[in-house]
C-alpha cells in the first residue's frame, strides 16, 4: 500500500486522539444484558445498549437462532432471487408487517440498508424527498443516494417544524411524488416525531409518509408496536422502516413495511436485494422468535416503561437535567464535549457503561451522556447506576 496513504491515515488518527474524538472499543465477554463482563474491567451495568426488551439473551430467542442454524445452515450463499429464499424469511416478513400494522414487509441485512434502498429505488427525477433535520445518518445518506442515482430532489425541514414542512410541501406541489421521511423516535434526544400532525399534513399534500421506527419498535405503545401504536395511528402510516438490531433480539437486520406493491417493487428493483445476500437464517429465526415473544409478553414493554420512568424521576431527584420525554432514551445534558466524555469515563470506573456524545453528533454546547434503559434492568441495577451517577455528579460539581 502507498506509504503516503498510510501516513495520511495515521496522521488523521493522531488528530482524532488530540481532538478527543478518538473512539476506543470496549470488548465484552458475555451476552448483552443488564450487566455484562467487560474485558479488563469485570462486571459493568450497561446503560448504553438498544437491548430495550432484554431479548438479546432471552433463552427462547437464543434457542430459535440455534434451531435456525441446524435447520437452514449458516447462510444463503447468494442473493434471494438467484439461489432461493428461505421460508423463515417469509415468516419473519409476515410477522414484522403484523407487528407494525402494514400489509407486507421486506427484510434487509440492516435498517441502514433498508433506508438506503427505499427512496433510491422508488423515486425518480420528478420526485422529492423531505427529511427532518435531526433524522438518523442512514436517512441522510439515503437522501444523498437517491439524489445521486435516482436524480430526485431532496430538502430538509427544520426539526419537527410542521409549518416549515407545510411550506416545503406546498412548494413541491408540482412534483409527481412527495416523500416525507422522519425518525419515529429521535435517537439522540429520545423525543417523538409529531406523528398526528405529520399524518394530517401528508394527507393534505398527498405525500407519502415514511417513519423510521428503529427506536420505537418493541418500545412504544401498549404492545410495543411502535410510535404509530403510541399515537393511536396503527395502519395509518404509509411506510415504516425499522431494525431487528435493537429491541427485536439485537442481532442485525431491518425491514421496510408497507403495501404489498411497495414490497414487491423493492424485491424487483432494490439494489441491496438484487446484489447482496439475504439476512442469515440464524438471524431471521431469532428475530422471528423475538417478534413472537413480544406478541406473547406485552408485560415486557410495561416493565421497560416503568424502568424508564423510575430512572428519569430518580435522576431529576438527584439534581440532573435529563431531557424531558417518555421513551427509554434519557439524555443528561452536560454542555461541553469534554465534560460528557469525562463523565462517561468516571461512570465506567464506577462500573456503569454509558456513552458520552459531543459535537458534531449533537449540537455544540449540548454534549450529553445518553442513558438507555432496558426491561432487563432490575431495580437493583438501576439503583446501583444511580448511586454511581450521584458520586460522579458530586465529584464533577454537576449536582
Ligand atoms: C433511527 C435509526 N435508523 C436506522 C438505524 C440503523 O440500524 P441498523 O443497525 O439495523 O442498520 C439506527 C441505528 O442506530 C437508527 O437509530
Amino acid at each position: 500500500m502507498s506509504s503516503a496513504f498510510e501516513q495520511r491515515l495515521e496522521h488523521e488518527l493522531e488528530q482524532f486522539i488530540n481532538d478527543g474524538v478518538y473512539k476506543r472499543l470496549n470488548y465484552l465477554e458475555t451476552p448483552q444484558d443488564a450487566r455484562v463482563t467487560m474485558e479488563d474491567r469485570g462486571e459493568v451495568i450497561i446503560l448504553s445498549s438498544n437491548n430495550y426488551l432484554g431479548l438479546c439473551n432471552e433463552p427462547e430467542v437464543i434457542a430459535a437462532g440455534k434451531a435456525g442454524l441446524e435447520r437452514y445452515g449458516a447462510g444463503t450463499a447468494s442473493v434471494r432471487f438467484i439461489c432461493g429464499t428461505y421460508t423463515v424469511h417469509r415468516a419473519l416478513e409476515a410477522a414484522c408487517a403484523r407487528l407494525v400494522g402494514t400489509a407486507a414487509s421486506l427484510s434487509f441485512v440492516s435498517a441502514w440498508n433498508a433506508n438506503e434502498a427505499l427512496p433510491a429505488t422508488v423515486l425518480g427525477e420528478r420526485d422529492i424527498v423531505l427529511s427532518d433535520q435531526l433524522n438518523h445518518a442512514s436517512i441522510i445518506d439515503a437522501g444523498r443516494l437517491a439524489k445521486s442515482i435516482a436524480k430526485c430532489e431532496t430538502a430538509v425541514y427544520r426539526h419537527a417544524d410542521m409549518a416549515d414542512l407545510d411550506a416545503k410541501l406546498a412548494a413541491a406541489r408540482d412534483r409527481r411524488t412527495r416523500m416525507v421521511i422522519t425518525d419515529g423516535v429521535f435517537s439522540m434526544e429520545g423525543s417523538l416525531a409529531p406523528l398526528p400532525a405529520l399524518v394530517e399534513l401528508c394527507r393534505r399534500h398527498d405525500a407519502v409518509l415514511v417513519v423510521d421506527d428503529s427506536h420505537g419498535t418493541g418500545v412504544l405503545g401498549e404492545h410495543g408496536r411502535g410510535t404509530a401504536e403510541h399515537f393511536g395511528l396503527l395502519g395509518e402510516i404509509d411506510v415504516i422502516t425499522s431494525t431487528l438490531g435493537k429491541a427485536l433480539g439485537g442481532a442485525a437486520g431491518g425491514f421496510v413495511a408497507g403495501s404489498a406493491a411497495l414490497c414487491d417493487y423493492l424485491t424487483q428493483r432494490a439494489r441491496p436485494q438484487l446484489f447482496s445476500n439475504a439476512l442469515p437464517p440464524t438471524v431471521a429465526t431469532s428475530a422471528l422468535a423475538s417478534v413472537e415473544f413480544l406478541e406473547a409478553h406485552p408485560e415486557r414493554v410495561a416493565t421497560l416503561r416503568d424502568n424508564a420512568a423510575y430512572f428519569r424521576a430518580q435522576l431529576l431527584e438527584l439534581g440532573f437535567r435529563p431531557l424531558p420525554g417518555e421513551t427509554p432514551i434519557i439524555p443528561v445534558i452536560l454542555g461541553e464535549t469534554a465534560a460528557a466524555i469525562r463523565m462517561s469515563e468516571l461512570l465506567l470506573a464506577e462500573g456503569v457503561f454509558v456513552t458520552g456524545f459531543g459535537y458534531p453528533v449533537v449540537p455544540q454546547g449540548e454534549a450529553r451522556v445518553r442513558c438507555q434503559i432496558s426491561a432487563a434492568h432490575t431495580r437493583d441495577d438501576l439503583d446501583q447506576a444511580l448511586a454511581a451517577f450521584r458520586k460522579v455528579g458530586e465529584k464533577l460539581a454537576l449536582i
Side-chain angles (χ1 to χ4, degrees), residues 96-104 195 199 203 209 211 213 225-240 257-259:
C96 291
R98 189 170 71 230
L99 178 68
V100 303
T102 58
L195 218 49
V199 167
R203 291 224 173 110
L209 177 58
V211 176
D213 217 14
R225 298 177 70 189
T227 311
E229 187 188 18
H230 174 87
F231 284 110
L233 289 168
L234 273 175
E236 306 290 330
I237 312 300
D238 299 311
V239 185
I240 293 174
S259 67

Side-chain angles (χ1 to χ4, degrees), residues 80 91 104 139-140 211 214 220 222 257 268 294 309 367 371 389:
R80 291 171 81 171
I139 303 176
I140 296 172
V211 176
S214 291
L220 289 177
E222 201 184 331
Q268 306 305 316
L294 169 60
C371 306
F389 265 82

Side-chain angles (χ1 to χ4, degrees), residues 34-51:
R35 294 171 189 246
V36 296
T37 304
M38 186 179 282
E39 191 180 64
D40 300 331
R41 281 204 188 260
E43 186 184 86
V44 296
I45 296 173
I46 290 219
L47 281 191
S48 51
S49 161
N50 302 304
N51 181 23

Side-chain angles (χ1 to χ4, degrees), residues 47-48 187-188 329-331 354-355 357 368-372:
L47 281 191
S48 51
S187 57
M188 284 297 146
I329 298 175
I330 307 178
V354 55
T355 309
F357 292 93
R368 60 198 66 186
V369 292
R370 183 184 64 166
C371 306
Q372 288 173 283

Side-chain angles (χ1 to χ4, degrees), residues 255-334:
F255 58 89
V256 173
S259 67
L262 173 73
C263 295
D264 194 13
Y265 197 93
L266 291 169
T267 306
Q268 306 305 316
R269 287 291 165 90
R271 291 167 73 81
Q273 289 286 330
L274 301 182
F275 300 104
S276 184
N277 278 14
L279 204 57
T282 44
V283 174
T285 45
S286 62
L288 174 58
S290 298
V291 176
E292 288 169 351
F293 186 96
L294 169 60
E295 289 174 326
H297 297 282
E299 73 279 2
R300 263 305 160 97
V301 186
T303 305
L304 172 62
R305 216 173 13 248
D306 290 349
N307 279 354
Y310 176 77
F311 193 78
R312 186 184 288 281
Q314 295 301 310
L315 274 181
L316 280 165
E317 187 98 336
L318 287 176
F320 286 100
R321 293 186 300 129
L323 287 183
E326 42 195 332
T327 71
I329 298 175
I330 307 178
V332 177
I333 304 295
L334 295 164

Side-chain angles (χ1 to χ4, degrees), residues 16-17 51 56 97 117 150 204 304 325 329 358 362 396 399:
F16 296 163
I17 295 172
N51 181 23
C56 292
R204 184 145 50 82
L304 172 62
I329 298 175
V362 295
L396 296 177
I399 53 171

Side-chain angles (χ1 to χ4, degrees), residues 34-207:
R35 294 171 189 246
V36 296
T37 304
M38 186 179 282
E39 191 180 64
D40 300 331
R41 281 204 188 260
E43 186 184 86
V44 296
I45 296 173
I46 290 219
L47 281 191
S48 51
S49 161
N50 302 304
N51 181 23
Y52 293 118
L53 296 174
L55 296 185
C56 292
N57 199 20
E58 183 63 42
E60 275 177 42
V61 172
I62 295 169
K66 284 183 184 162
L69 185 61
E70 294 291 340
R71 176 163 176 196
Y72 299 104
T76 60
S78 184
V79 297
R80 291 171 81 171
F81 89 96
I82 295 178
C83 70
T85 183
Y86 285 104
T87 49
V88 67
H89 289 110
R90 184 174 55 204
L92 172 67
E93 286 160 356
C96 291
R98 189 170 71 230
L99 178 68
V100 303
T102 58
S105 89
L106 185 67
S107 62
F108 288 79
V109 292
S110 67
W112 186 288
N113 241 234
N115 280 339
E116 278 205 341
L118 180 66
T121 307
V122 297
L123 300 182
E125 55 191 6
R126 291 155 64 200
D127 306 323
I128 182 169
V129 176
L130 299 115
S131 176
D132 187 288
Q133 182 190 3
L134 291 191
N135 274 345
H136 186 257
S138 57
I139 303 176
I140 296 172
D141 280 16
R144 290 174 178 153
L145 191 66
K147 186 174 180 173
S148 132
I149 68 176
K151 310 280 179 236
C152 68
E153 190 184 337
T154 57
V156 173
Y157 61 92
R158 282 195 297 273
H159 174 52
D161 184 335
M162 294 299 97
D164 190 34
L165 177 59
D166 193 10
K168 290 195 159 82
L169 279 167
R173 71 175 70 79
D174 294 336
R175 293 276 155 182
R176 179 183 63 175
T177 299
R178 290 155 291 283
M179 178 178 275
V180 174
I181 311 188
T182 180
D183 277 10
V185 178
F186 291 89
S187 57
M188 284 297 146
E189 338 297 310
S191 59
L192 302 184
L195 218 49
L198 279 162
V199 167
E200 190 277 318
L201 260 189
C202 287
R203 291 224 173 110
R204 184 145 50 82
H205 289 280
D206 188 24

Side-chain angles (χ1 to χ4, degrees), residues 328-350:
I329 298 175
I330 307 178
V332 177
I333 304 295
L334 295 164
E336 292 313 310
T337 304
I341 289 172
R342 177 99 182 104
M343 173 126 184
S344 92
E345 283 169 358
L346 289 174
L347 283 167
L348 189 54
E350 294 296 325

